[in-house]
Every structure is written in structure tokens, then in C-alpha cells.
Amino acid sequence: MPTRRERLRAETATEIKTIALRLMAAGGPDAISLRAIAREMGMTAGAIYSYFPTRDDLVTTLIADLYTALLDAAERARDAAGSAPGARLLAWAEAVREWAVANPEGYKLIYGDPVPGYRAPTSGPAADAELRACAGLTELVAEVWPAITVTPSGTARWTDFDADIVALTRKALPMLPPAGFALALRMWGRMHGLIALEVYGHLTGQTRRPEKLFHAEMIDMITSLGLRAPK
Amino acid sequence: MPTRRERLRAETATEIKTIALRLMAAGGPDAISLRAIAREMGMTAGAIYSYFPTRDDLVTTLIADLYTALLDAAERARDAAGSAPGARLLAWAEAVREWAVANPEGYKLIYGDPVPGYRAPTSGPAADAELRACAGLTELVAEVWPAITVTPSGTARWTDFDADIVALTRKALPMLPPAGFALALRMWGRMHGLIALEVYGHLTGQTRRPEKLFHAEMIDMITSLGLRAPK
DNA sequence: GCAAACTCTAAACGCCGTGTAGTAATCGAA
DNA sequence: TTCGATTACTACACGGCGTTTAGAGTTTGC
């Protein structure tokens, strides 16, 4: 049961974040300025310090929110896809790219480096979202792993990876070998690469059909494991 | 024959860039401030405007220099590698990753978004460097293309791509089909993905051996085309 | 009804990029 | 060699930024 004060406080915090997101979408991360937010709210910049201890904390909160929205979209697409081994994986990938293209500044904020020296390790909702992304992808790999006929190269061992994530992964997906987890990380990179190039504008001078490029890459990613191509 | 004035001017410009690079390596793109540079040089910030019309122009110049250094390293590694179909490709990829890991802030500056609304299209040395990167990778694909036994999926056509880059590519590599150029872009993304995740710290909570992950990914990238694995 | 907690303003500090006016040095040519 | 023009630089100002501090004004819980 939230008190009146708590409710007002939550509303104001939401308004701050909403305006911050609009500023970011319009002018990139640097456009998120406490003074600009306060100006739009008819306040002074100092008032925001009642809600966020510092600008970096506000941005970190935004990252967590954006990451959550991205993952919600990805999971929604995955669950709406058919149950063929690669279909859910493909749906996830396409959903991530579509979200990124629709929210380029948001994607940059998530995977870029808006707060140089900061970056808290394994703490806070932003780290939780990252973990959720990693877990979601690993789960998709675990689903298709039994159907794979071409094993990825390399000699992955559990000791290659961070102990915490290994513990979580092995508990959730006991059947998955270390090579499966390695594959999940590699797929993450493979998806991220083309999306990052596109979102940062490095493909604009090259291709007019980035979605075609990405789709072909994802199809090959799936078929190269010996799975039938979905769709 | 440079006059004394020109020589001094070039030296000062170089000193400005050198200090800017050091500041960037230490504190990220935001640490590149004209006042900080001038402070280290015993000048005032206004003096830098005799050398660069604006801070963004200085950063753009830095990007071009860094991109050139990255490509020099990649081409050097490629030329030092054996002549097996995939060996030169692998050497290029590993060299890019190693440069990125050694110069993380530089890699971020090249492929990130330090200048939000700016980004000149197809002009200036930074765009030239990007073209050189793309051309270098396309050339490597053209080298291995005849030896490929597994054709990448998708239906690439020349009209999918930017007219200028198509003209340059078809002139330089007449035998390469559009699917080959598409493959080059896709490889670019595949290399960039894992490197970007690593450089921005998104792999630190996951794997302790990112180089192993990258190497395996590159080996699979080559072997999935039906080429023998190098090394 | 009142003290405590909270929210906000106003002003200041030290950063930042950028523009302008003026000074001092240096250069090219008469 | 001297003189006008160009160049390199300083000093200062402007507005913007994040952040801190002191103090009002309001709301809350007892």
C-alpha cells in the first residue's frame, strides 16, 4: 500500500526517466542533462538529486529499463514463434535487431559506453538484465543443442568461464556442455556485430538492405549447426 | 620543402593529437577536452582553434588516424600470414581483435559514436579509412571465394548495395558476385560483434578467455565455407 | 499541534566549448 | 632592411554542464 508521498515520488521519478529517454532518443546520450530535464519539468536541476544521487545513476537506471524492454520484446517474439529447433532462435534474433533499429540510441546506451570509468560489476538491475539476456540466449542454445549435427569448433571447458555464470548455467541447464555455453556467447556476438554496425551507421554507405544481410547471417548461423532453416 | 612555419605548425598539431590520444586512452572520449590539452601544453584552449576548427574536427582526425593504425596492423598481419585460403583472413581477424584489446578506447572511438549528430557521409579521411577496411575485407573474401564449397545463404543482388561501393568493388574485383560482397559485410559484422562485446566489457562477467572464444568463432567462420581450417 | 522528514529553489563552484578583441612575433616582398 | 600582412597566441566573456550547500515551504506521522 503506497502512501500518497510514495506515489507522487514514483510518478516524478517516472517523469524524469520519460523525459530523459526522449532527450536521449533525440540527441544521444550527451543530451541527457539534468538541467534540460528540469527545464521541461518546470523545476531546477538540483531537485532531481532527490530522486537520483547522480546523473550516472539516472543513466544506469535508464539502461536497465531499456535492457528490460529489449528482452521483453525478444522473449515475446520467441514465444510467438513456432517450435522448430531454429525458429525460436531466429525470432529472438530478428526481434533484437528490430528493437535496436527502432530504438537506436537505446541500443547504443545498452551496449555502448555512456559512463566511462563506472560500470558496476555484477550488481544492480542493469547487470541483472545482462544476465537475463545471456541466460535467454543460452536457454535457446540448450533447446537446439540435442538437434545439432555439426559441433562448433574449439575446446571449451567450464573453467574458461566466470564461476558465477557457470554455476547458474549448470544449475538451470544441466545437460548443456561448456561448448554449448561458448556457442551461446558466440551467437550473442554474431547477432550484436551486424546490429551494432547498422545502428552506428557503419553500414549506411555499404548496403541498402541491412535486414536482408542480417536475416541471411542468422539463417546461416542456424543451418551451419546442421539444423533445418526455419521460415 | 616545408618552411619553418609549416614545420612548427605540423609539430604542434601532432602534439595536440598525441596528448588527445593519451587523454582518451586514460579517460575515454569525454576526457578529450581542449582545455586539458592546452593545459598540458602550457597554452590556452583558444590557441587550439588555430589548428582544428572545432573539437569535433579534432576527434574526427583522431578517428582517421586510429582507423589507419588499425588497418595498418591488420594488413601487416595479413601479409605476414601463409597463403592458404583462410590463413590470411584469420590473420586479419586476429590482428583486428588484438589491436582493439590493446587500444580499447581507440576501437570504441572508431566504431562508437563520439560525435552524436555529426558523422560526415563519404567525405574526409575517416570515411576513406572505413572504405579501406571494407575493401580489405572484400579482397580477402575474393581471394577465398573460388575455393568455397559451401555458398552462404540469401539472395544478394548488386542493387541491394550502395551504388558507389558497388562500382568500386566490381571494378577492383570483377569476378566477385554480389553474394561475395554480402559475405564480406557479414564477416565484418561477425568479427566486430565479439570484439565490441569484449571491448565494452560485456564479456567480463561471462568468459575469462575471450581470445579463445574469438578464435573458435573465426575458425568456424572459415570452415563453414568449406575451407580447411588454418593453423 | 508539532517536530521531523521531504521536496524544492537559489546561488555558487569549477568544469566545458566557443567567440572576440587585441598583442606579439614572424614572414614575404619592396 | 624595412614594412605591411599573416599567424599564433592570450585574456576575457558567454552560456551550458554536474554537483554542492543553505535555506525555505510543504507534507507526514505521532
Side-chain angles (χ1 to χ4, degrees), chain B residues 52-125:
Chain B
F52 299 94
T54 184
R55 194 199 93 112
D56 287 358
D57 288 272
L58 169 59
V59 173
T60 305
T61 305
L62 292 180
I63 292 176
D65 287 0
L66 289 164
Y67 218 148
T68 301
L70 167 62
L71 289 168
D72 287 346
E75 292 179 0
R76 217 178 305 125
R78 174 200 63 190
D79 296 338
S83 60
R88 285 157 60 82
L89 198 47
L90 180 66
W92 174 290
E94 304 264 18
V96 169
R97 181 187 160 272
E98 271 157 34
W99 190 93
V101 171
N103 308 278
E105 293 299 333
Y107 194 83
K108 292 184 201 173
L109 205 61
I110 292 173
Y111 286 108
D113 201 13
V115 187
Y118 191 65
R119 226 21 142 200
T122 63
S123 72

Side-chain angles (χ1 to χ4, degrees), chain B residues 33-35 39 54-55:
Chain B
S33 90
L34 300 185
R35 291 184 131 98
R39 219 177 290 130
T54 184
R55 194 199 93 112

Side-chain angles (χ1 to χ4, degrees), chain A residues 19-37 39 55-56 58-59 62 105 108-109 113-116, chain B residues 28-32 55-56 59 109 113-118:
Chain A
I19 294 175
L21 285 173
R22 189 173 53 238
L23 290 172
M24 181 208 66
D30 289 358
I32 307 173
S33 90
L34 300 185
R35 291 184 131 98
I37 295 168
R39 220 176 291 129
R55 196 199 90 114
D56 287 358
L58 168 58
V59 173
L62 292 180
E105 293 301 333
K108 291 184 201 173
L109 206 62
D113 200 13
V115 188
Chain B
D30 289 358
I32 307 174
R55 194 199 93 112
D56 287 358
V59 173
L109 205 61
D113 201 13
V115 187
Y118 191 65

Side-chain angles (χ1 to χ4, degrees), chain A residues 53-75:
Chain A
T54 185
R55 196 199 90 114
D56 287 358
D57 289 273
L58 168 58
V59 173
T60 304
T61 305
L62 292 180
I63 292 176
D65 287 0
L66 288 163
Y67 218 148
T68 301
L70 167 63
L71 290 168
D72 287 346
E75 291 179 2

